């Protein structure tokens, strides 16, 4: 499957069933790589930016001649560099052109004294999970400039970056929604790459799902329309800014100005609203999402 064939697969024969079809089709794989004694690095604001760059370096080293010459992959089996970092077509969503999102998100979290780097891979890109898992381990061991990152917090870089565990969870699916709570609280775990405040978050959610949908073999336009309608009638309540630590800059190449996300609640959420929220928790909220920005959790609560 060349780059052209991949683009064809992402634009033709897609399910036009909207949000319900996306929830039914959704699948993802999770990779987690634990690094011994490096938990402090989870606090570095540029960590995932460097991890993303290092992963791209490793995948590019094994890329096809077409990718290296910026013509798109020309191998019968598309190389991972094309799938995870290649340019994709633009989609017209709500009057604006946006490139189809990259089919993954990254995360970082401490686990005791260890650092766990996570990578979630969406839809048809999971065909390359094994290849990218090995590339991620190589990237973390050999291509992340840990000494430079250590300056963010005066952390100690071990003499050898040691991987203590690599785990994979494959063919993961959303948890079915079997009841409607009185209220759902949206609790942010990371900053958002947006200056639009709470009023702009529903629009970011709808756009994000639309741009992930083709990787799940579902048409973007109907997913966006369904998500937008569901969120438009939701009874949103915006509270004080969350306690998430927010550096000044983040996102791709650390160029985005970050915002402190608010605490938000929705009274009497519909099934459509809960479906949007539960799916967006799996892929983060929008710009900078592949670098871990805009990650949140949904907590059911009684009013």
């Amino acid at each position: 499957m060349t780059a052209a064939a991949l683009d064809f697969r992402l634009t033709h024969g897609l399910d036009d069933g909207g949000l319900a079809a996306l929830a039914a089709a959704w699948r993802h794989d999770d990779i987690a790589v634990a690094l011994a004694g490096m938990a402090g690095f989870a606090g570095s604001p540029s960590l995932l930016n460097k991890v993303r760059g290092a992963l791209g370096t490793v995948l590019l080293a094994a890329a096809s001649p077409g990718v290296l010459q910026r013509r798109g992959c020309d191998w019968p089996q598309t190389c991972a560099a094309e799938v995870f970092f290649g340019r994709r077509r633009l989609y017209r969503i709500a009057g604006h052109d946006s490139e189809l999102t990259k089919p993954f998100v990254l995360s970082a979290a401490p686990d005791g004294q260890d650092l766990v780097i996570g990578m979630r891979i969406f839809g048809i890109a999971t065909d390359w999970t094994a290849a990218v898992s090995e590339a991620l381990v190589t990237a973390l061991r050999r291509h992340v400039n840990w000494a430079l990152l250590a300056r963010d917090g005066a952390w100690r870089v071990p003499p050898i970056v040691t991987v203590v565990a690599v785990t994979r969870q494959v063919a993961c699916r959303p948890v079915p929604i079997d009841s409607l709570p009185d209220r759902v609280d949206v609790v942010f775990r990371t900053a958002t790459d947006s200056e639009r405040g709470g009023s702009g978050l529903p629009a970011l959610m709808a756009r994000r799902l639309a741009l992930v949908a083709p990787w799940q073999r579902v048409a973007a336009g109907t997913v966006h329309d369904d998500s937008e309608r569901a969120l438009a009638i939701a009874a949103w309540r915006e509270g004080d800014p969350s306690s998430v630590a927010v550096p000044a800059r983040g996102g791709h190449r650390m160029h985005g100005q970050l915002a402190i996300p608010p605490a938000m609640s929705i009274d009497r959420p519909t099934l459509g609203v809960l479906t949007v929220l539960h799916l967006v928790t799996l892929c983060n909220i929008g710009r900078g999402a592949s670098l871990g920005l805009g990650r949140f959790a949904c907590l059911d609560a009684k009013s």
Side-chain angles (χ1 to χ4, degrees):
M1 184 169 56
T2 63
L6 176 61
D7 285 337
F8 187 89
R9 191 176 178 191
L10 291 168
T11 54
H12 293 75
L14 304 183
D15 191 328
D16 205 31
L19 190 58
L22 180 61
W26 187 284
R27 75 180 194 276
H28 66 262
D29 290 351
D30 284 334
I31 303 168
V33 182
L35 305 178
M38 299 180 69
F41 285 88
S44 169
S46 53
L47 170 62
L48 294 181
N49 192 62
K50 300 301 184 187
V51 170
R52 186 183 189 274
L55 177 61
T57 296
V58 175
L59 293 181
L60 193 62
S64 67
V67 168
L68 296 175
Q69 297 167 19
R70 301 189 178 184
R71 293 184 287 101
C73 186
D74 47 10
W75 284 347
Q77 175 64 31
T78 311
C79 64
E82 177 68 61
V83 176
F84 291 94
F85 290 94
R87 297 277 308 216
R88 302 272 73 85
R89 63 157 287 184
L90 297 180
Y91 280 77
R92 190 76 174 173
I93 300 292
H96 298 282
D97 290 333
S98 298
E99 184 182 354
L100 187 66
T101 188
K102 304 306 184 218
F104 70 95
V105 289
L106 296 170
S107 63
D111 181 14
Q113 295 189 6
D114 299 337
L115 171 67
V116 178
I117 300 295
M119 184 174 184
R120 176 165 291 161
I121 302 168
F122 305 123
I124 63 175
T126 58
D127 289 347
W128 287 264
T129 293
V132 82
S133 177
E134 295 178 5
L136 181 60
V137 170
T138 300
L140 294 173
R141 279 175 168 165
R142 302 178 184 174
H143 294 277
V144 174
N145 190 338
W146 295 106
L148 182 61
L149 287 172
R151 298 177 187 175
D152 290 343
W155 300 301
R156 175 182 171 273
V157 183
I160 299 175
V161 175
T162 303
V163 174
V164 293
V166 180
T167 60
R168 296 183 203 163
Q169 292 180 296
V170 300
C172 303
R173 295 187 178 275
V175 176
I177 300 171
D178 53 11
S179 63
L180 301 180
D182 296 332
R183 187 183 84 239
V184 62
D185 296 327
V186 176
V187 181
F188 280 86
R189 308 299 193 197
T190 58
T192 56
D193 191 1
S194 169
E195 297 174 314
R196 290 172 241 186
S199 61
L201 294 180
L204 289 175
M205 292 179 183
R207 177 177 293 273
R208 176 65 173 169
L209 277 192
L211 295 174
V212 171
W215 290 104
Q216 306 286 359
R217 300 286 296 146
V218 179
T222 49
V223 167
H224 181 266
D225 292 346
D226 283 359
S227 301
E228 196 173 49
R229 280 193 294 268
L231 295 172
I233 64 173
W236 293 86
R237 287 190 287 123
E238 183 175 333
D240 294 330
S242 75
S243 59
V244 171
V246 180
R249 295 279 175 179
H252 185 52
R253 299 175 186 259
M254 300 297 289
H255 287 170
Q257 186 168 344
L258 302 189
I260 301 174
M264 304 183 75
S265 298
I266 302 174
D267 295 321
R268 297 174 296 281
T270 65
L271 178 60
V273 168
L274 288 179
T275 300
V276 172
L277 292 177
H278 283 209
L279 293 181
V280 180
T281 63
L282 300 175
C283 61
N284 299 2
I285 203 168
R287 292 185 301 165
S290 65
L291 294 170
L293 297 179
R295 180 166 58 92
F296 66 93
C298 291
L299 306 178
D300 294 349
K302 295 292 183 181
S303 297

